[in-house]
Amino acid sequence: MKKVAVLYICTGRYSIFWKDFYKSAKSKLFANSSLEFFVFTDQDIDVSTNDVHLIYQEKMGWPYDTLMRFHLFSKIKDELKHFDYIFFMNANLIVEKEISSSLLPDKEDLFGVIHPGFYNKDPAEFTYERNSKSTAYIPQGKGHHYFMGGFNGGKSSAFIQLIEQLSSNIQMDLDNNIIAIWHDESHLNRYFLDHQERLKIVGPEYGYPQGWNLPLERKITILDKTKFGGHSFLRNEK
Ligand code: UDP
């Protein structure tokens, strides 16, 4: 039985998503593997089972709550080494259909989901980071897919390498007063481009926005944040 670590951040108001996320992931994600959840939060969330590890994390403010994710993950690197796989999932995801362990990358090392907003789009429209001074830079003409930052993962050693490289890249950008256009997602896209031969790519059935109608079978829903007060309310921007 494979051991899978699920990394989850819910600082501030994003903690409202935890309960339903956990229930859905616990019952439907990677059947026949053993899941443990690492939850970074500053809120009192209801945890009554021993498969959930709480890590106190203060809310840093937008966009740092999402941008600094790889810094947070690198703090628990030693614990993560004991797993076969590591996945990150955004707070507002719900696993709708049973997802078997065959989704775990086997011959590849890493796992990425095509962003639903860029599914079947011309790569010229991808919102990669275009500032050549950023470590997330991707020039026009390069890159075949635009990946979502909200669900990704890989074999433990490969994902720990990603965590180390991206925390260092993001830190280098910050030291140069640069924040990539889509934060962590821009850095992830650059990393996946650099490691594309080791990447398992799946479609937006694993990141299917609530209320959308794509010609795909819905497996994981991205809850519509406007139904929960909207982006700026959830991020506590006002
Ligand atoms: N996040 C958080 N607290 C915040 C803002 C963001 O915990 O105040 C985390 C949470 O895991 C969320 C992720 O950062 O799912 C990405 O945030 P964002 O609002 O950008 O979600 P997106 O719009 O990309 O779905």
Side-chain angles (χ1 to χ4, degrees):
M1 192 184 280
K2 298 291 182 204
K3 283 184 71 173
V4 183
V6 177
L7 308 177
Y8 186 88
I9 306 173
C10 60
T11 58
R13 290 172 173 154
Y14 277 73
S15 61
I16 56 165
F17 295 115
W18 162 251
K19 220 169 148 206
D20 289 345
F21 164 78
Y22 171 71
K23 212 169 128 204
S24 74
K26 179 81 188 152
S27 58
K28 301 198 190 88
L29 186 63
F30 302 140
N32 300 322
S33 45
S34 117
L35 258 58
E36 288 187 36
F37 297 81
F38 291 84
V39 182
F40 296 81
T41 188
D42 57 348
Q43 302 294 305
D44 277 334
I45 61 169
D46 177 25
V47 177
S48 46
T49 49
N50 58 9
D51 55 352
V52 181
H53 309 281
L54 278 187
I55 300 129
Y56 181 79
Q57 177 56 50
E58 256 169 33
K59 187 168 161 52
M60 288 178 277
W62 185 257
Y64 305 99
D65 299 302
T66 186
L67 176 67
M68 302 306 275
R69 62 176 62 179
F70 304 108
H71 289 69
L72 311 192
F73 305 156
S74 62
K75 291 187 198 165
I76 59 162
K77 216 163 54 182
D78 289 340
E79 282 171 78
L80 294 177
K81 282 183 190 147
H82 304 296
F83 289 83
D84 298 304
Y85 291 91
I86 306 168
F87 281 80
F88 169 78
M89 300 184 79
N90 255 6
N92 59 324
L93 299 182
I94 296 287
V95 183
E96 302 279 1
K97 291 269 161 62
E98 189 157 302
I99 295 175
S100 93
S101 299
S102 64
L103 192 69
L104 295 165
D106 180 21
K107 56 181 201 305
E108 306 89 348
D109 291 332
L110 294 164
F111 169 91
V113 180
I114 293 178
H115 193 296
F118 296 96
Y119 167 66
N120 277 347
K121 287 259 165 70
D122 179 348
E125 293 175 39
F126 293 171
T127 53
Y128 293 145
E129 174 56 52
R130 303 300 190 185
N131 174 0
S132 61
K133 294 199 172 66
S134 169
T135 56
Y137 173 59
I138 298 180
Q140 280 290 351
K142 282 256 176 89
H144 309 289
H145 304 287
Y146 187 88
F147 296 98
M148 59 181 258
F151 182 29
N152 44 75
K155 289 181 184 153
S156 179
S157 58
F159 201 74
I160 290 172
Q161 272 174 31
L162 175 153
I163 290 170
E164 286 173 339
Q165 184 68 56
L166 293 189
S167 54
S168 142
N169 288 358
I170 288 167
Q171 192 56 50
M172 207 180 296
D173 273 16
L174 286 172
D175 293 345
N176 292 320
N177 285 321
I178 297 169
I179 292 182
I181 177 167
W182 288 109
H183 321 112
D184 46 282
E185 186 171 86
S186 308
H187 288 275
L188 184 80
N189 271 280
R190 170 63 194 266
Y191 194 86
F192 280 173
L193 176 61
D194 291 345
H195 298 85
Q196 51 188 324
E197 71 293 342
R198 297 165 53 197
L199 179 64
K200 174 167 180 170
I201 301 171
V202 301
E205 52 268 53
Y206 297 96
Y208 196 131
Q210 183 176 17
W212 286 29
N213 196 3
L214 300 169
L216 299 166
E217 189 194 3
R218 180 188 289 277
K219 307 254 192 193
I220 296 186
T221 291
I222 304 174
L223 291 176
D224 178 357
K225 291 204 237 44
T226 63
K227 298 192 191 318
F228 297 86
H231 266 111
S232 39
F233 170 77
L234 288 167
R235 293 172 183 165
N236 211 0
E237 287 176 314
K238 55 180 184 200

